[in-house]
Amino acid sequence: MLRSQQLAKEVVANPTSATAAVEEMTTLLKDTASLIFACDKVLARMHEKCDPHKFYAQVRPWVAGWKSNKSLPNGVIFSGTFDNKPQQFYGGSAAQSSLIQSWDAAFGVQHKDHATQYLLAMRQYMPPKHRGLVELLASASPSIKDAVTASGNADLVAAFNECLSAVESFRSTHINIV
C-alpha cells in the first residue's frame, strides 16, 4: 500500500503520461485485493477451531471492556497498578487491528461520525509504529483514491473497486462471526 501511495503522486501530477505508474499501481491493487480475499477466506474458517457458542459465552466476556460499561461506571481498579485508580478500557475489537484500519486509510473508506470516533480511539491500543503507519496512510496526499480518479484508467478503477469489495467481504464475514 505504501508503494501505491508513492505512485499516487506521480499519477495525479501527470495522469496522461504516468502509464508505467498506472500499470504498476493496477498490479499492486490487484495483488492487494487477492490478499484481502485470502484473509477473508481464512477468517471464514474460524468456526472450524472455535465454536461460536463457546466463544460468545466463555471467551468474549473475558475480553469485554469497562469503558462505557453501565455496570462499572467508574471502571476497574487493578490493584497495585495505575496508583490504584479506576481505569476504563475498551474491550478487544477488530477495530484495534492495524491491518483493517490500514485498508480503510489506504482506500479512503469513510465511516459515520460515531464509528470514526470509535476507530480513532481504537488506534490508541495499537503499537505506536502500527498507529503511525495507519496515520501515514490516512494523511497521504494525494491518496490512492485521488490517483485512481485522476487516472481515468478503467483497469486501475476496477482494481481499486476490487480492493473495496474485498474489504467489504472481510467485514461482512467478521460481522457474521461476532
Side-chain angles (χ1 to χ4, degrees):
M1 289 187 284
L2 288 174
R3 179 64 181 144
S4 292
Q5 291 265 293
Q6 293 169 343
L7 292 167
K9 291 179 183 177
E10 187 177 336
V11 172
V12 170
N14 300 301
T16 56
S17 63
T19 306
V22 168
E23 287 176 8
E24 183 179 354
M25 186 181 250
T26 301
T27 299
L28 290 169
L29 290 178
K30 285 179 180 179
D31 290 349
T32 300
S34 293
L35 292 170
I36 297 169
F37 277 123
C39 290
D40 185 29
K41 286 180 184 176
V42 170
L43 183 63
R45 296 181 60 197
M46 178 82 74
H47 68 277
E48 292 175 17
K49 299 289 182 181
C50 182
D51 179 275
H53 296 65
K54 285 184 181 179
F55 175 81
Y56 193 81
Q58 296 175 9
V59 176
R60 194 168 183 188
W62 293 103
V63 295
W66 304 281
K67 191 169 185 95
S68 303
N69 185 326
K70 293 176 186 172
S71 60
L72 298 165
N74 297 317
V76 174
I77 296 174
F78 295 93
S79 185
T81 62
F82 301 108
D83 295 326
N84 288 322
K85 293 181 181 170
Q87 301 297 306
Q88 294 186 340
F89 296 111
Y90 285 104
S93 167
Q96 296 166 1
S97 165
S98 48
L99 181 61
I100 296 169
Q101 286 214 33
S102 290
W103 296 337
D104 285 352
F107 305 132
V109 174
Q110 300 293 312
H111 298 275
K112 294 185 179 180
D113 287 342
H114 69 281
T116 298
Q117 294 308 312
Y118 179 73
L119 290 168
L120 290 172
M122 292 301 99
R123 289 183 187 175
Q124 299 310 306
Y125 292 85
M126 294 178 187
K129 289 184 179 181
H130 292 210
R131 181 173 54 247
L133 173 64
V134 172
E135 290 168 354
L136 176 71
L137 291 168
S139 66
S141 182
S143 67
I144 293 172
K145 187 176 182 177
D146 293 336
V148 170
T149 302
S151 77
N153 181 285
D155 290 337
L156 182 56
V157 170
F160 181 80
N161 287 340
E162 191 69 6
C163 287
L164 295 177
S165 293
V167 170
E168 179 182 34
S169 180
F170 184 91
R171 279 213 165 85
S172 293
T173 299
H174 175 258
I175 291 298
N176 286 326
I177 289 173
V178 297

